[in-house]
Amino acid sequence: MPGLEGPSDYSREPPRHPCLQINAKEPFNAEPPRSLLVSSYVTPVDLFYKRNHGPIPIVDDLERYCFSISGLIKNPKKLFMKDIWMLPKYNVAATLQCAGNRRTAMSKTRKVKGVGWDVSALGNAVWGGAKLADVLELVGIPNLTSTTQSGGKHVEFVSIDKCKEENGGPYKASIPLSQATNPDADVLLAYEMNGETLNRDHGYPLRVVVPGIIGARSVKWIDSINIIAEECQGFFMQKDYKMFPPSVDWDNINWASRRPQMDFPVQVKISGYAVSGGGRGIERVDVSIDGGKTWMEASRYQKTGIPYVADGINSDKWAWVLFEVTVDVMQSTEIVAKAVDIASNVQPEKVEDIWNLRGILNTSWHRVQVRVGHSNM
């Protein structure tokens, strides 16, 4: 792609914050310490988790950079950054989360495959860019379209990066056309993060941000966008990031028996975040200081000075909700937290009930063993 290069090695990686917990060096995957994750509602760029599948692409000429939109449409086009900058700009607060967040805890029940994430493979940012619905109108696809005249039903995003899982080919994923063309879904082609130009780790110069679903569908370093009839057939759509019951292992797995994972369900961290997929607000966060025998409700908030209402017009529906509760702990105990969203989805009690061989979507009750007189960080 003119202006954007996908390196074949790791010799030109960008600098990263020294406090990050590195879970894999090549490709680079890292998360911030637990103590810093919810220190602010908007996650600083340097502390936002890094999830990569290959060497970080390099922009050598921003003016020459362009991407194509083609496939089952009548008017394919190549678009440059100047075309995207001319469209209305939107700022969307949205939490992105790796589906493998808390995989390490799930692996303690039974071994799973994948990068060993603790609890911080997510972050909340204000993403700036053009709505994908507006971009697709440039190629003749109206808002709220579910099928093009040529039979296109899905929008595939293809990156410039190179992945071993794709035999050296690019990372790619797709979402339904009906979601892509819905302005209320807030899907962005983003070029800013927290008011600044995207950095290389997070997709410079242009990435997709799909609020409310697993981070694997928010493709970075866009090379092309294809309108296709079926879901993307790439590795990360068809042979990864699918939810299987605990009875499935690597000897009896049938990848075709499950659809690609999209929404992520409700999830909570005892030190202060709750998030649900699909734009659903958090109705309640319950905390127990006796291992789940009795419960108290935590206070919830997003923005300082603005009361949080789960479905309120002043609440950011795609973003996490922070919570806090002050308790007196007189003796060593187990603190448990669980959340309920506005659709009454509640976290499962035991990780054993949702164990799966890829170690994704661990949304079980979060438990912290507290020993009085000891640090629990």
Side-chain angles (χ1 to χ4, degrees):
M1 171 59 62
L4 181 62
E5 173 191 356
S8 57
D9 60 47
Y10 295 91
S11 62
R12 292 182 286 175
E13 293 289 280
R16 281 98 178 196
H17 198 286
C19 81
L20 293 177
Q21 174 184 318
I22 300 174
N23 299 323
K25 290 185 178 180
E26 295 181 354
F28 189 82
N29 290 279
E31 61 188 302
R34 293 183 177 203
S35 58
L36 295 180
L37 180 62
V38 292
S39 59
S40 62
Y41 174 61
V42 174
T43 308
V45 173
D46 286 347
L47 299 182
F48 207 95
Y49 78 102
K50 312 290 191 281
R51 178 66 173 115
N52 297 303
H53 298 88
I56 305 302
I58 297 172
V59 175
D60 54 37
D61 189 339
L62 186 59
E63 289 188 0
R64 293 179 61 227
Y65 166 71
C66 63
F67 65 96
S68 62
I69 303 181
S70 59
L72 298 175
I73 55 175
K74 291 184 176 180
N75 303 305
K77 282 189 176 182
K78 282 189 176 180
L79 297 176
F80 293 81
M81 285 304 301
K82 63 182 181 180
D83 300 312
I84 303 302
W85 291 332
M86 289 178 63
L87 294 171
K89 178 188 174 185
Y90 293 87
N91 290 310
V92 176
T95 300
L96 293 188
Q97 177 177 202
C98 178
N101 193 32
R102 298 175 64 196
R103 179 178 282 135
T104 299
M106 188 174 284
S107 197
K108 292 178 180 178
T109 297
R110 283 165 57 193
K111 186 174 178 58
V112 299
K113 289 185 179 181
V115 176
W117 296 104
D118 189 31
V119 300
S120 303
L122 82 169
N124 190 50
V126 178
W127 307 95
K131 286 196 176 183
L132 181 58
D134 291 344
V135 176
L136 293 177
E137 282 193 309
L138 297 178
V139 294
I141 304 178
N143 286 352
L144 304 178
T145 296
S146 57
T147 307
T148 66
Q149 291 182 352
S150 302
K153 295 182 179 180
H154 298 266
V155 180
E156 179 184 61
F157 311 111
V158 182
S159 176
I160 195 70
D161 66 342
K162 299 175 181 179
C163 309
K164 65 177 182 180
E165 295 87 352
E166 295 283 3
N167 297 315
Y171 186 97
K172 51 190 174 181
S174 66
I175 63 173
L177 182 63
S178 57
Q179 182 179 13
T181 58
N182 182 357
D184 291 339
D186 288 334
V187 181
L188 295 182
L189 287 188
Y191 46 81
E192 288 185 359
M193 181 180 183
N194 294 348
E196 301 177 354
T197 301
L198 286 171
N199 69 19
R200 287 178 58 201
D201 264 324
H202 295 298
Y204 177 74
L206 194 67
R207 69 169 298 164
V208 182
V209 173
V210 189
I213 68 175
I214 65 172
R217 313 310 177 209
S218 290
V219 177
K220 299 182 282 188
W221 312 295
I222 291 298
D223 180 53
S224 63
I225 295 176
N226 304 316
I227 311 303
I228 54 180
E230 304 293 337
E231 291 169 333
C232 169
Q233 296 302 299
F235 178 90
F236 295 99
M237 287 288 290
Q238 301 303 325
K239 292 190 175 181
D240 204 350
Y241 299 121
K242 292 186 176 184
M243 186 70 174
F244 291 92
S247 60
V248 175
D249 58 30
W250 293 103
D251 294 324
N252 63 9
I253 188 171
N254 177 6
W255 288 105
S257 67
R258 292 292 187 278
R259 296 180 65 92
Q261 187 65 42
M262 301 301 279
D263 281 10
F264 56 80
V266 68
Q267 190 175 88
V268 65
K269 174 180 178 288
I270 192 66
S271 59
Y273 70 74
V275 60
S276 185
R280 295 181 293 272
I282 299 298
E283 185 66 29
R284 193 177 76 245
V285 177
D286 298 325
V287 175
S288 170
I289 60 171
D290 55 12
K293 297 177 183 178
T294 61
W295 300 88
M296 66 191 74
E297 186 172 349
S299 60
R300 297 157 295 140
Y301 63 96
Q302 284 185 326
K303 305 165 190 173
T304 303
I306 301 178
Y308 174 77
V309 179
D311 55 357
I313 61 173
N314 292 320
S315 299
D316 293 329
K317 64 181 181 179
W318 304 115
W320 63 11
V321 175
L322 305 181
F323 70 87
E324 60 183 8
V325 61
T326 301
V327 297
D328 293 324
V329 178
M330 304 304 295
Q331 58 187 7
S332 297
T333 186
E334 180 181 59
I335 296 179
V336 185
K338 61 182 176 72
V340 182
D341 69 16
I342 58 174
S344 297
N345 294 314
V346 64
Q347 295 171 256
E349 179 178 352
K350 299 177 181 178
V351 68
E352 291 85 354
D353 295 336
I354 55 171
W355 182 95
N356 60 91
L357 77 170
R358 277 295 284 116
I360 66 172
L361 303 183
N362 181 4
T363 58
S364 60
W365 293 3
H366 192 69
R367 302 171 182 270
V368 176
Q369 300 294 329
V370 175
R371 294 183 294 164
V372 174
H374 294 76
S375 171
N376 295 282
M377 296 300 292

